[in-house]
Amino acid sequence: ETSLLERVSGPANMAPALEVVKRLAEDGLLTSESGVVRLTSRGRLISNDVFQEFLGLAADEHAVRR
């Protein structure tokens, strides 16, 4: 089964996506426990910006495929 993170960021971007998760968790915007990533209260306030971090990875993958 494909994870949501993989579907959003693209299979080729899993390593960069995990780095984004780590960075956003360090910034207090996400938590990551047992493979489950969740927005924190602070992350929910700027959820569009947080999600954009992952959409940017997908856009990068799409540009490479062209």
Side-chain angles (χ1 to χ4, degrees):
E1 181 176 318
T2 305
S3 71
L4 177 60
L5 183 59
E6 187 174 359
R7 287 193 308 259
V8 170
S9 65
N13 285 317
M14 278 304 293
L18 293 173
E19 287 298 317
V20 170
V21 168
K22 180 180 175 184
R23 181 174 47 81
L24 294 174
E26 289 171 353
D27 291 344
L29 301 173
L30 297 176
T31 62
S32 178
E33 296 176 25
S34 303
V36 177
V37 178
R38 291 189 173 99
L39 290 165
T40 63
S41 296
R42 185 170 160 236
R44 281 194 288 287
L45 292 173
I46 59 169
S47 60
N48 287 344
D49 297 319
V50 172
F51 194 60
Q52 184 63 38
E53 294 283 331
F54 297 102
L55 292 178
L57 293 174
D60 290 345
E61 179 181 8
H62 182 69
V64 169
R65 287 185 182 180
R66 287 184 165 200

